[in-house]
Amino acid sequence: MTEEVSVPESHPRYESLLTRHRIEAGVERGITSKQGLIAEGRGEAFDYLLGEETTDSADRAARAAAAYLLSAEHAVVSVNGNAAALVPEELVELADVTGAELEVNLFNRTRERIEAIADYLREHGAEGVKGLDADARIPGLDHERAKVDSDGIYDADVVLVPLEDGDRAEALGEMGKTELVVDLNPLSRSPQVATVPIVDNIIRAIPTITEHARELAGDPAAQQAAIETFDADAALADAKRRIREVEA
Amino acid sequence: MTEEVSVPESHPRYESLLTRHRIEAGVERGITSKQGLIAEGRGEAFDYLLGEETTDSADRAARAAAAYLLSAEHAVVSVNGNAAALVPEELVELADVTGAELEVNLFNRTRERIEAIADYLREHGAEGVKGLDADARIPGLDHERAKVDSDGIYDADVVLVPLEDGDRAEALGEMGKTELVVDLNPLSRSPQVATVPIVDNIIRAIPTITEHARELAGDPAAQQAAIETFDADAALADAKRRIREVEA
């Protein structure tokens, strides 16, 4: 439903042009903030160093994340401005396939942006978007940054937090939640505190998780295997190695 | 003259907070574009990987750049939106010390942004800002992206282009100009085609060039030595090595 840029998928810069187009649309809709644009640039640099592809290691992480979402009591996907701008339909599809809920959760929270993002997700097929009540608090964070829904992230046993701030990732981990993080910088705190760090571009990572979820759905043994064989430290080490292999 | 953020210089995040503050002011003034914010993020990621400090290698490059500016027939500093937003006073000071001219030159050129940037530089002490005539063209580039002043960049033998696009850096090099490039990504084309690639944050690089220029001023032998001992390939290799040394 997103009005896309008219570039064929075979174009070598397709993904990058698509990203730019969606980010610009996000700015126009009041979804992407100034900080979001800067964060997008940081991500681009790391993606460039990682070769702009989903590594085998990131694919295994996506599979483990799918397994956690499917086997959760209550899974919630936290959605911030860049996530909504970049992969609105893909997030709705992931929620559909895994039975997870979508909750808008912003670092720089304003009622206006929360509503703009919830509307955007609804336009892309989401039902029952959470994050507007904000009637519970994550312990150990500033008041504004701690706000979540009591029947959403606060209650969840598994949360997928793409592009999350380090402090919040840490606080969610301390609540005992299984945390699945998508982040392109393997050195930043969020992937380091995650149960499953997915070091990949969100544009590729979300559809990859959905694909694995389709395959793992209804197969608890396969889900269990994907969870048990996943090694978070090895995933982070792989991503760091990729960066170190930058051509001489 | 810039109204600064109230953080002491000793603060560990001083430079990063100052950068954010200046970039936000740039957005408010219509100087920093959406693409500029994304580019700022990309720079932040590389600066992080380089250790957020001016390496010895980058310092030698800054010294060579100072020597080229001082010994030029006609030196011009090309100023885009991010450069103006991040180091307005520092650019004016560099121009004063080296006798270089300032020319506003944008990748996404609009009359409005050119004038906003020229005004901003004048508020920070600049006189005779070029780039508003745009009565000459760099050969080999799209019409809009080729525009320069005939008595500015077009006529210059030495140009300092901080944060330049790869195509334009290449086209300027093909005109036979001595090109001094400030860029945090040692893998991008602009520093690779430069006579002097300065792989450093513009916030540190411009004052460093000015400092060297003060020291080298009036000493042609020292200027010659700084130019002759500088090795561009070694500078790029040093920067790439820094990135590869990212902690395991």
Side-chain angles (χ1 to χ4, degrees):
Chain A
M1 267 176 284
T2 315
E3 198 197 316
E4 292 304 17
V5 62
S6 60
V7 172
E9 267 193 59
S10 59
H11 190 287
R13 305 303 299 152
Y14 172 77
E15 200 174 86
S16 143
L17 291 168
L18 183 65
T19 302
R20 287 287 165 89
H21 177 80
R22 291 190 179 178
I23 279 281
E24 302 230 332
V27 171
E28 274 153 39
R29 289 286 297 253
I31 288 171
T32 307
S33 65
K34 281 188 293 238
Q35 293 309 329
L37 288 170
I38 295 176
E40 165 62 23
R42 281 196 301 270
E44 280 184 15
F46 281 102
D47 201 19
Y48 172 80
L49 289 170
L50 291 162
E52 293 176 351
E53 59 176 19
T54 299
T55 62
D56 288 345
S57 175
D59 185 66
R60 283 193 296 274
R63 188 171 178 84
Y68 273 115
L69 290 170
L70 288 167
S71 56
E73 288 283 325
H74 180 194
V76 175
V77 177
S78 177
V79 182
N80 69 8
N82 278 19
L86 289 171
V87 282
E89 266 182 81
E90 292 84 349
L91 287 169
V92 172
E93 205 178 346
L94 174 64
D96 283 349
V97 171
T98 60
E101 294 187 296
L102 297 175
E103 175 165 341
V104 183
N105 199 310
L106 305 180
F107 190 72
N108 292 305
R109 185 186 183 88
T110 68
R111 186 80 199 170
E112 214 174 13
R113 269 185 75 224
I114 297 250
E115 280 172 3
I117 292 170
D119 285 348
Y120 201 63
L121 291 172
R122 283 189 209 106
E123 280 174 36
H124 287 85
E127 283 165 36
V129 178
K130 295 202 179 288
L132 288 95
D133 295 344
D135 54 349
R137 302 284 175 271
I138 305 168
L141 289 179
D142 289 352
H143 185 78
E144 278 305 304
R145 289 176 175 173
K147 288 183 172 175
V148 286
D149 278 17
S150 58
D151 61 351
I153 287 174
Y154 190 84
D155 176 66
D157 57 337
V158 174
V159 282
L160 171 64
V161 279
L163 321 175
E164 183 55 281
D165 162 71
D167 282 340
R168 288 215 305 206
E170 203 149 23
L172 286 168
E174 278 164 17
M175 286 177 83
K177 298 184 191 304
T178 296
E179 210 170 351
L180 322 170
V181 164
V182 179
D183 195 312
L184 276 158
N185 178 2
L187 304 163
S188 77
R189 208 149 32 105
S190 308
Q192 284 175 1
V193 300
T195 313
V196 181
I198 305 155
V199 184
D200 199 6
N201 192 323
I202 190 174
I203 279 228
R204 295 186 301 267
I206 300 299
T208 306
I209 299 171
T210 303
E211 204 180 300
H212 283 296
R214 281 216 175 83
E215 210 186 296
L216 294 169
D219 189 344
Q223 292 166 26
Q224 201 51 35
I227 287 171
E228 280 170 11
T229 57
F230 178 72
D231 182 338
D233 291 335
L236 290 172
D238 280 342
K240 289 180 202 164
R241 195 175 310 124
R242 277 292 271 233
I243 291 176
R244 284 200 303 276
E245 280 166 4
V246 57
E247 87 245 38
Chain B
M1 266 176 284
T2 315
E3 200 198 312
E4 293 304 18
V5 62
S6 60
V7 173
E9 268 194 59
S10 59
H11 191 286
R13 304 304 299 152
Y14 172 76
E15 199 174 85
S16 142
L17 292 168
L18 183 65
T19 301
R20 287 288 165 89
H21 176 81
R22 290 190 179 179
I23 280 282
E24 303 230 332
V27 172
E28 275 155 38
R29 290 285 297 252
I31 289 172
T32 307
S33 65
K34 282 188 294 235
Q35 293 310 327
L37 288 170
I38 295 175
E40 166 61 23
R42 281 196 302 269
E44 279 184 15
F46 281 102
D47 202 19
Y48 172 80
L49 290 170
L50 290 162
E52 294 176 350
E53 60 177 18
T54 299
T55 63
D56 289 345
S57 174
D59 186 66
R60 282 193 295 274
R63 188 170 178 85
Y68 273 115
L69 290 171
L70 288 167
S71 56
E73 288 283 325
H74 181 194
V76 175
V77 178
S78 177
V79 182
N80 69 8
N82 277 19
L86 289 171
V87 282
E89 267 182 81
E90 292 83 349
L91 287 169
V92 172
E93 205 178 346
L94 174 64
D96 283 349
V97 171
T98 60
E101 295 188 295
L102 297 174
E103 176 164 340
V104 182
N105 199 309
L106 305 180
F107 190 72
N108 293 306
R109 185 186 182 87
T110 68
R111 185 81 200 171
E112 215 172 12
R113 269 185 75 222
I114 297 252
E115 279 172 4
I117 292 170
D119 285 348
Y120 202 62
L121 292 172
R122 283 189 208 104
E123 280 174 35
H124 288 85
E127 284 166 33
V129 178
K130 294 201 179 292
L132 289 94
D133 294 346
D135 55 350
R137 302 285 174 272
I138 304 167
L141 289 178
D142 288 352
H143 185 77
E144 277 305 304
R145 287 174 178 176
K147 288 182 173 176
V148 286
D149 278 15
S150 58
D151 61 351
I153 288 173
Y154 190 83
D155 176 66
D157 56 337
V158 175
V159 283
L160 172 63
V161 280
L163 321 175
E164 184 55 282
D165 162 71
D167 282 340
R168 288 218 305 208
E170 204 149 22
L172 286 168
E174 277 164 16
M175 286 178 83
K177 299 185 191 303
T178 296
E179 210 169 351
L180 321 170
V181 164
V182 180
D183 196 312
L184 276 158
N185 177 1
L187 304 163
S188 78
R189 208 148 33 103
S190 308
Q192 283 174 1
V193 301
T195 314
V196 181
I198 305 156
V199 184
D200 199 6
N201 192 322
I202 190 174
I203 278 227
R204 296 186 302 267
I206 300 298
T208 306
I209 300 171
T210 303
E211 205 181 300
H212 282 297
R214 281 216 174 82
E215 210 186 296
L216 294 169
D219 190 343
Q223 292 166 26
Q224 201 52 35
I227 288 171
E228 279 171 10
T229 58
F230 179 72
D231 182 339
D233 291 335
L236 290 172
D238 280 342
K240 289 179 203 165
R241 193 173 311 122
R242 277 292 273 232
I243 291 176
R244 284 200 303 276
E245 280 166 5
V246 57
E247 89 246 34

